[in-house]
Amino acid sequence: MHHPFTPVASVPVDEARARVHEEGWQSWSPSGAYALGDKPYRPTDDNWATVCYRPGVTVPEDTFQGEGLLALDPGDGSPVRLWAAVDPTRAVPSIRLAVRDGRADVSADGPVREWTGTSIQSVLGDWADSLALPVPRPAPTVWCSWYEYFTAVTEDDIHENLRAMDTLDLPIDVVQIDDGYQKALGDWLTLSGRFRSRAGIADAIRARGRRAGIWTAPFLVDPASDLAAEHPDWLVRDTAGGFAHAGRNWGHDLRVLDTTHPQAAAFVTEVFRTLRAEGYDYFKVDFLYAGALDGVRHDADADALTAYRAGIALIREAIGADAYLLGCGAPLLASLGLFDAMRVSPDTAPHRRPEADDYSQPGQDPAEFTGAGRQWQHGRLWTNDPDCLMARPAVETRERWAAHVEATGGLMASSDRLLSLDAWGVETTRRLLSSGAAR
């Protein structure tokens, strides 16, 4: 539920030197600092507004807006100001800033507290430190199938790269199978025709002294899945009685699993207990925004954020405290205290510019912008995941992208067909993974 915006502060600014940090809603939402004359990044497509920004929220022209956090450097030597959600695990207000006649007028649609500091990144870090979250445990180094094979990945691709890790002497802890092994979104335990045995792959990975990792999008349901056909009562509804809409991807209008339904909750538990029993102990859970979408749920008393956090808690309980949990596409502030690592930017890509210049879409430019803007989160809220290194020759400006990944000090993951790497790619991949392994 959205509430009216009420005034919070009015601050004099030097309009030529002031900067504003907007914090986006979820992993892929643009986040970073702007000059007052800049035009902040906004959705260029209605579908992307649902999948990558805060759904149902629009921002007026000539207005900055942060979701739960907004910081202002007035540019006149006075302290940096930060306005932050009081308890972001329960409510994440939108915070707006508009400049008129040399003053920044700040308003919010929920309770906020004010902080002051010496710079935007430092005051955000101070706020994060005040939460007193446990220090995140060291991240493993990872090889991920996604950016080479995408949904066409096969079991043979995994085995080829597993052998190549040994041949190239790469310090990879986790071999993570990404999207493509499953029959459909929701049918996580049914294999696609390109895979023979999920447990067999895990056994092969572990036999080589590495850990097995796997990808899921636990709150999304493909309408063509067996789950959707057999259990429509497990899906979140809209107020008109139809299915809640989680955006369009993979060629389908996606639906949302209602983890407040006892049988749906039991299904989530079964999926993750099964994967854990098969030998997987590194879990990337993706497209998590879906679990925090508004809608009509089985438990009418559970608001969207409560339902989301309860859904993640089901997963954590099923995989155990020792398993490593990486979130992606997640409502960030609502995820505090739930994850070991978190994707803090849009997807990278073999190219720099995102489609339609929308900075929520895959591309190195948007991944660098938001990844740098959220560097303050690293080591405080979780281990930052800047997204995967791609070091093969076909990747545009691969040197610049590698430098960004290395500078973050976050989770280090390779996502190339390893035998396609040239000498520079092998050396760079080994160096970055070694830096991750050393932490």
Side-chain angles (χ1 to χ4, degrees), residues 26-31 52 147 328 343-349 354 358-371 374 385-387 401:
Q26 55 122 305
S27 299
W28 307 322
S29 307
S31 297
C52 301
Y147 285 109
C328 187
R343 171 73 74 73
V344 293
S345 68
D347 281 12
T348 187
D358 188 310
Y359 263 48
S360 72
Q361 294 305 292
Q364 295 169 34
D365 282 344
E368 288 179 10
F369 173 79
T370 294
R374 286 177 167 156
D385 172 16
D387 209 3
W401 175 246

Side-chain angles (χ1 to χ4, degrees), residues 6-22:
T6 58
V8 170
S10 182
V11 182
V13 293
D14 180 334
E15 294 191 42
R17 300 178 63 187
R19 293 185 68 80
V20 178
H21 172 92
E22 293 186 340

Side-chain angles (χ1 to χ4, degrees), residues 392-412:
R392 58 190 181 269
V395 173
E396 184 181 355
T397 61
R398 59 177 178 163
E399 297 86 356
R400 177 174 163 183
W401 175 246
H404 168 74
V405 172
E406 186 172 22
T408 68
L411 190 151
M412 295 291 163

